Amino acid sequence: MESLGADIESHIERVIWTKDQIATRVSALAFQISADLSTLSPPSSVVVVGVANGAFIFLADLIRLINFPIFVDFVRAESYHSGTKSSNQQRRITSDAESYHSGTKSSNQQRRITSDLELDVEGKHVILVEDIVATGSTIACLIAHMKSKGALSVSVCTFLDKPERRQVHFELVGQGKFYSAFECSDYFVVGYGMKFGGLYRNLPYVGILKPEFYQVILNSKY
Ligand SMILES: O=P(O)(O)OC[C@H]1O[C@H](OP(=O)(O)OP(=O)(O)O)[C@H](O)[C@@H]1O
């Protein structure tokens, strides 16, 4: 196979979570977060922070089911090796491939914030929204960042948790809680915001890509 076919459905080997299963879990999480955080003081003190890019679909669904006023903002954190920023696309494709083939990012990969909040979170309760928590490197970096900005509490709400891949320990701040919609071990999934080679974020459910598509995507420009 030399090029990708246009029918996205035909690229998927197996569906892991359907649209309905996702909607049920996101609704339950929004209900739980509403119950946990709606009574916090001061009022209107919750800032939901999406981690770009992967969290954007999960965040959009989640916040529309939260039943109290919230602020919304975004951050971006990118990986780098040994002090060298991984800003080029080939590096990011390689990162995907590493995750696919070994089930983990390389151990010396660290994160730094490349696009910061516009809102001031001092004295506020932050909920960091992720598509995936795997090694923990990204979320650890972002929790520390929110704490340094004076957040009263920092919670994490991730669509997917991969606890078996954890390499970096992180602690929530204040009364912060950890929420996850689903857990999985080491298989590489796409859809609902999650990508391979920059593609498939728009798939409305979560699935596993057919193996023959990995190399085609890695060989192509995006
Ligand atoms: O727990 P970790 O091992 O740090 O991995 C999790 C991070 O990796 C992914 O981001 P990625 O850089 O692939 O970009 P994306 O959000 O644009 O998909 C994901 O969105 C998380 O932010």
Side-chain angles (χ1 to χ4, degrees):
M1 185 173 42
E2 292 181 359
S3 63
L4 300 170
D7 176 16
I8 193 169
E9 301 276 337
S10 70
H11 298 199
I12 301 304
E13 181 169 79
R14 185 157 64 93
V15 176
I16 304 296
W17 297 296
T18 65
K19 281 170 71 172
D20 286 350
Q21 287 172 320
I22 292 169
T24 299
R25 281 299 297 140
V26 173
S27 172
L29 279 181
F31 182 82
Q32 188 64 53
I33 289 170
S34 297
D36 291 346
L37 297 179
S38 61
T39 56
L40 286 175
S41 178
S44 301
S45 62
V46 175
V47 185
V48 174
V49 175
V51 183
N53 292 331
F56 73 111
I57 291 176
F58 177 43
L59 179 138
D61 285 348
L62 184 75
I63 61 171
R64 285 178 291 172
L65 297 169
I66 291 177
N67 67 3
F68 60 94
I70 54 169
F71 295 98
V72 178
D73 205 345
F74 289 87
V75 289
R76 184 185 300 273
E78 293 197 348
S79 55
Y80 65 100
H81 277 258
S82 309
T84 304
K85 185 180 177 188
S86 68
S87 57
N88 65 64
Q89 292 184 328
Q90 187 56 48
R91 172 69 194 79
R92 293 179 65 74
I93 292 171
T94 307
S95 174
D96 284 345
E98 281 172 2
S99 300
Y100 168 60
H101 291 300
S102 67
T104 183
K105 288 192 167 86
S106 61
S107 59
N108 64 341
Q109 195 168 88
Q110 296 181 50
R111 290 266 163 163
R112 66 174 161 215
I113 287 138
T114 53
S115 177
D116 206 348
L117 297 173
E118 291 189 347
L119 296 175
D120 181 4
V121 295
E122 185 172 6
K124 296 207 163 55
H125 299 276
V126 169
I127 308 173
L128 285 165
V129 176
E130 267 283 22
D131 58 340
I132 309 173
V133 174
T135 65
S137 161
T138 307
I139 210 67
C141 164
L142 291 170
I143 291 170
H145 188 61
M146 298 302 147
K147 188 176 181 182
S148 76
K149 285 173 167 282
L152 274 182
S153 72
V154 182
S155 297
V156 171
C157 182
T158 184
F159 178 74
L160 182 56
D161 186 20
K162 293 186 167 182
E164 290 177 22
R165 286 184 52 193
R166 208 74 91 234
Q167 294 179 7
V168 177
H169 175 73
F170 58 85
E171 284 181 11
L172 303 169
V173 176
Q175 301 299 307
K177 296 188 176 181
F178 185 85
Y179 306 90
S180 70
F182 296 101
E183 268 191 23
C184 81
S185 49
D186 60 351
Y187 47 87
F188 193 89
V189 295
V190 295
Y192 203 66
M194 296 177 284
K195 66 174 188 312
F196 182 77
L199 299 172
Y200 304 105
R201 294 193 199 272
N202 57 318
L203 194 70
Y205 53 84
V206 173
I208 295 179
L209 198 57
K210 287 178 179 169
E212 59 264 35
F213 282 88
Y214 286 106
Q215 202 54 50
V216 178
I217 293 164
L218 290 174
N219 288 341
S220 68
K221 294 177 183 173
Y222 77 98

